[in-house]
Amino acid sequence: MGTSNSNISAVVLLISILIVAASAGSFYDDMDITFGGERAKIVNGGEDLSLSLDQYSGSGFQSKHEYLFGRFDMQLKLVPGNSAGTVTTFYLSSQGAGHDEIDFEFLGNSTGNPYTIHTNVYSQGKGNKEQQFHLWFDPTAAFHTYTIVWNSLRIIFLIDNIPVRVFNNNDAAGVPFPKSQPMRVYASLWNADDWATQGGRVKTDWTNAPFTASYRKFNANAKKVGPNSVSSNSINDNQSWSTQGLDAASRNRIRWVQTKHMIYNYCNDRKRFPNGISAECKSSRFL
């Protein structure tokens, strides 16, 4: 993966242990189950969490804390086999009509066809910033790490520490950027067969239910906010994620991903946006 990335990972891990040790704790400490009842299960002493979906309900959880910027890592193993119609998620979101949101969504498919990785960024309640990818591995065979880096300069989506997307702060050009609303971490597994698989043409096969996705090793190296926060802004502002960008090796990796594995980019969809593409599409090399 490269010496520089290894060094960054080591620094991030050390800071996480020393400063925000609770963030590397158990799901009991970090998360609340939000819906689905017994379909959401914390197991192995809090180290693992599974979400299930059946014909009656999906399931989900959210972080106990809110954050304003940080690095958020989660390992996931997605629904195996015929996952058509299902959507597994890992994302950040604030609340309210003008909410901000940073999305990883994993759109299931029929057996033998690839998952679609759906990314999006909302700011002030407006999204329409979708990029989609097919993976270069089977995301159901083993756990892989999905990461959101969110700082005042940019948002970076990474898979196994390989950047797949960058959304830069183009606020000066009139493009809203999430920078002031604290967000929680959310995850869910739910049925979206009206749109998720091949535009809704392939429906969920409930004879395969329950569908199960697994989560582990959540880590938030981030600025907590709110009355129960114990993080120090002055300390956290010095962490590597607060200015993280792309070095030469990362630029080569994201170029490979976007050339070989990107299947949709809103910046190229002139049929959808006949009045012209958004300003960041013109100014940013990697989006």
Side-chain angles (χ1 to χ4, degrees):
M1 299 298 295
T3 302
S4 60
N5 280 331
S6 298
N7 290 340
I8 290 173
S9 298
V11 171
V12 168
L13 178 60
L14 179 60
I15 293 174
S16 299
I17 293 171
L18 295 177
I19 300 176
V20 202
S23 294
S26 76
F27 281 108
Y28 288 120
D29 296 330
D30 295 332
M31 300 295 176
D32 291 319
I33 305 300
T34 51
F35 71 100
E38 293 298 317
R39 296 172 186 83
K41 297 179 180 179
I42 300 175
V43 295
N44 295 335
E47 293 185 5
D48 300 282
L49 194 157
S50 66
L51 295 180
S52 293
L53 163 70
D54 58 33
Q55 55 266 51
Y56 302 105
S57 177
S59 51
F61 61 91
Q62 69 178 38
S63 63
K64 294 179 184 293
H65 297 285
E66 290 183 305
Y67 306 92
L68 187 63
F69 305 130
R71 176 180 175 125
F72 306 88
D73 300 280
M74 184 81 79
Q75 289 193 359
L76 281 78
K77 184 163 66 173
L78 301 180
V79 175
N82 184 0
S83 58
T86 70
V87 176
T88 307
T89 70
F90 165 52
Y91 64 102
L92 307 177
S93 183
S94 63
Q95 296 297 309
H99 80 293
D100 295 341
E101 189 172 322
I102 305 169
D103 290 340
F104 262 126
E105 295 185 324
F106 308 90
L107 314 185
N109 213 333
S110 52
T111 302
N113 291 305
Y115 265 83
T116 294
I117 309 305
H118 178 95
T119 66
N120 202 358
V121 176
Y122 288 78
S123 184
Q124 300 172 23
K126 296 180 180 179
N128 296 327
K129 309 292 186 185
E130 301 93 343
Q131 283 188 351
Q132 295 181 338
F133 307 85
H134 283 162
L135 291 169
W136 50 96
F137 55 84
D138 179 357
T140 72
F143 283 92
H144 291 267
T145 302
Y146 302 88
T147 301
I148 296 170
V149 173
W150 170 39
N151 59 42
S152 62
L153 303 174
R154 62 188 60 86
I155 296 162
I156 309 174
F157 297 79
L158 303 101
I159 300 175
D160 291 335
N161 216 32
I162 297 173
V164 300
R165 178 179 185 180
V166 175
F167 186 83
N168 288 308
N169 185 344
N170 282 283
D171 214 16
V175 181
F177 183 85
K179 61 183 184 300
S180 59
Q181 298 190 67
M183 295 197 260
R184 294 185 190 272
V185 177
Y186 293 86
S188 59
L189 174 58
W190 52 290
N191 177 48
D193 65 3
D194 56 332
W195 66 271
T197 304
Q198 299 178 35
R201 293 187 295 274
V202 181
K203 302 300 183 182
T204 304
D205 183 354
W206 294 112
T207 64
N208 293 313
F211 304 95
T212 301
S214 300
Y215 296 75
R216 71 180 187 185
K217 295 188 177 179
F218 168 68
N219 188 67
N221 185 14
K223 286 200 298 187
K224 294 178 185 176
V225 298
N228 297 321
S229 171
V230 296
S231 296
S232 166
N233 288 355
S234 61
I235 293 174
N236 280 327
D237 281 344
N238 292 326
Q239 295 184 37
S240 60
W241 54 259
S242 65
T243 56
Q244 185 171 338
L246 298 182
D247 59 15
S250 295
R251 289 194 295 273
N252 286 335
R253 292 187 180 105
I254 196 172
R255 187 179 296 112
W256 171 75
V257 171
Q258 296 198 349
T259 300
K260 300 294 186 180
H261 298 282
M262 179 184 285
I263 61 170
Y264 177 80
N265 183 356
Y266 73 103
C267 285
N268 297 331
D269 196 342
R270 296 183 182 276
K271 182 177 181 181
R272 182 182 173 196
F273 302 106
N275 295 326
I277 60 176
S278 187
E280 75 274 9
C281 297
K282 303 171 186 177
S283 61
S284 299
R285 185 175 181 184
F286 300 112
L287 299 162

